[in-house]
Amino acid sequence: MDSPLKKITSFLNKTPRRTYFIKAVFLLCVLFIIAKLTPTVPSIVVAVFWGFLTFISAIGFAYFAVVRKTEKQVAKFREGGNFAKLNEGRFFRFLISFILAAVFSASFLISLSKWGQTYWLLIGIATILYYPITAIVRYKVEIEYKPLFRYAGIAKITFWICVILLCIFAFAITISTASVSYNSIIDALSAANEPFANSPSTLLADAGHFSTASEIIITYGIPKAFETPLDQFPLIAAIVATLLLYASVFVGFVSLLNICYIPIFELRRVFTPLLTEQSQAKPSLSHELPSIRKYVVYTVIFFLATFLAFIALDIYFSNTKSIDGYTPLESITYEILDDISLVIDEKNLADQISERLINESKNTTSLFGGNTIF
């Protein structure tokens, strides 16, 4: 008699559309909870959130890496040969997958808490449309792929389509809402949405300031850049920088949607021996193969490393700030703001702060929504 877990797995695998939407709705609920809690929870909880998002995304990146290895195995190497055995190794692919996932998940996690209704609506629509897009892609290209590579091929094409569309729509939202033209970069910083300013985590607070400094290119740079001729550098630079910022966020999000779409038996390929030509007619054979223990151990180790890295960095940043008064990331953030100020306002940030202090006869000038003082 089948166990309840096996029955649930069998049900999910037989109903891909229902499976996707169940997973996707659950994902959105989890992301919403994370977005609301992240600015106020202790460092250890933030580390769990980041580790969770990194782990899920890393499985998706590792899946594509394993499929790529399978392509080499089938096309190049004799089954059972030394090269085939060497190709089975996955440590460095897992390492790269976790590094990429950590970077994109960090960008995504910081952006989540800053999103308003418009962006939540955007990712809600994207979540709904993801499956129809996969259906269209599958209809167009399914016949072009061998069964062993079909899911990966469809998911990869859908991934890039969704990332590009999200970047385009997010940029369109930016253009449509960039009607407020601030008089200076200091005004833009003072009006910035900075939910992490009072975070218990020093690292998260500094990362939030860094993110805000990067977003100033959008909120301040775009309106200013549109005041210049189209072929001049500031506008082109602002557009490119904006699209790259959005891409860094949406790659993390769409990689999570990929996990919702790809069946469980396919994702298990990350932990099982590489499939061969004999399994091309039955790619679901992977759910019958035993997982290789060391690959499971790799993922656990990298997850723990991600978690501990956040805790260690947070302690380091906290100690550095208590001793020096600022952290390395704060210094980088100030340099970015100074560069933006020089390019757009043709004045460095220190001079603008000095002028503001004199004009307003105040002792301090507050940035990042009035919470941080340089």
Side-chain angles (χ1 to χ4, degrees), residues 8 114 134 168 223 230 252 270:
I8 293 172
K114 295 185 175 186
T134 61
I168 292 172
L230 186 63
V270 174

Side-chain angles (χ1 to χ4, degrees), residues 261-322:
Y261 168 73
I262 300 170
I264 295 171
F265 70 80
E266 273 288 294
L267 292 175
R268 284 195 74 248
R269 291 171 65 174
V270 174
F271 306 106
T272 59
L274 296 179
L275 300 178
T276 63
E277 287 182 315
Q278 295 177 356
S279 59
Q280 286 207 34
K282 189 184 179 185
S284 59
L285 176 67
S286 60
H287 78 278
E288 301 172 5
L289 296 173
S291 298
I292 298 177
R293 185 176 299 176
K294 67 179 179 179
Y295 299 151
V296 177
V297 172
Y298 288 164
T299 58
V300 173
I301 290 174
F302 288 137
F303 168 77
L304 291 175
T306 303
F307 174 81
L308 293 174
F310 185 93
I311 299 297
L313 281 172
D314 190 62
I315 293 172
Y316 169 75
F317 272 55
S318 180
N319 291 338
T320 303
K321 189 160 190 172
S322 64

Side-chain angles (χ1 to χ4, degrees), residues 58 61-62 90-102 302:
F61 290 134
R90 300 174 200 180
F91 178 84
F92 288 108
R93 298 298 176 98
F94 276 26
L95 177 61
I96 293 171
S97 296
F98 266 85
I99 291 173
L100 289 174
F302 288 137

Side-chain angles (χ1 to χ4, degrees), residues 164-165 190 193 273 338:
I164 291 170
L165 288 176
S190 299
N193 175 25
D338 196 44

Side-chain angles (χ1 to χ4, degrees), residues 70-255:
T70 304
E71 292 176 12
K72 290 174 62 178
Q73 194 86 330
V74 170
K76 287 186 174 183
F77 304 131
R78 177 179 60 84
E79 188 173 352
N82 291 329
F83 284 174
K85 292 177 182 177
L86 186 64
N87 190 48
E88 280 279 3
R90 300 174 200 180
F91 178 84
F92 288 108
R93 298 298 176 98
F94 276 26
L95 177 61
I96 293 171
S97 296
F98 266 85
I99 291 173
L100 289 174
V103 172
F104 289 123
S105 295
S107 179
F108 181 53
L109 179 62
I110 292 170
S111 297
L112 269 180
S113 297
K114 295 185 175 186
W115 282 351
Q117 294 180 352
T118 304
Y119 284 97
W120 279 105
L121 179 62
L122 179 63
I123 67 165
I125 293 172
T127 302
I128 295 171
L129 294 181
Y130 177 93
Y131 195 87
I133 292 173
T134 61
I136 294 170
V137 172
R138 185 166 191 162
Y139 174 75
K140 292 292 185 180
V141 305
E142 182 176 30
I143 195 173
E144 304 296 333
Y145 286 100
K146 295 179 180 179
L148 199 58
F149 311 108
R150 191 165 292 155
Y151 269 109
I154 293 168
K156 188 180 292 185
I157 293 172
T158 305
F159 172 85
W160 286 114
I161 290 174
C162 288
V163 170
I164 291 170
L165 288 176
L166 280 168
C167 288
I168 292 172
F169 280 107
F171 185 75
I173 292 171
T174 298
I175 297 302
S176 65
T177 57
S179 57
V180 178
S181 182
Y182 299 102
N183 294 324
S184 69
I185 191 171
I186 296 177
D187 291 334
L189 287 168
S190 299
N193 175 25
E194 184 48 61
F196 305 111
N198 298 314
S199 172
S201 168
T202 304
L203 175 58
L204 186 61
D206 289 352
H209 296 331
F210 178 82
S211 173
T212 299
S214 302
E215 291 165 4
I216 288 299
I217 297 173
I218 302 172
T219 58
Y220 182 57
I222 291 289
K224 287 293 183 181
F226 270 110
E227 297 173 4
T228 66
L230 186 63
D231 60 344
Q232 287 191 10
F233 172 76
L235 178 58
I236 297 172
I239 291 173
V240 171
T242 301
L243 292 175
L244 288 176
L245 284 171
Y246 283 136
S248 70
V249 173
F250 292 131
V251 164
F253 172 64
V254 180
S255 66

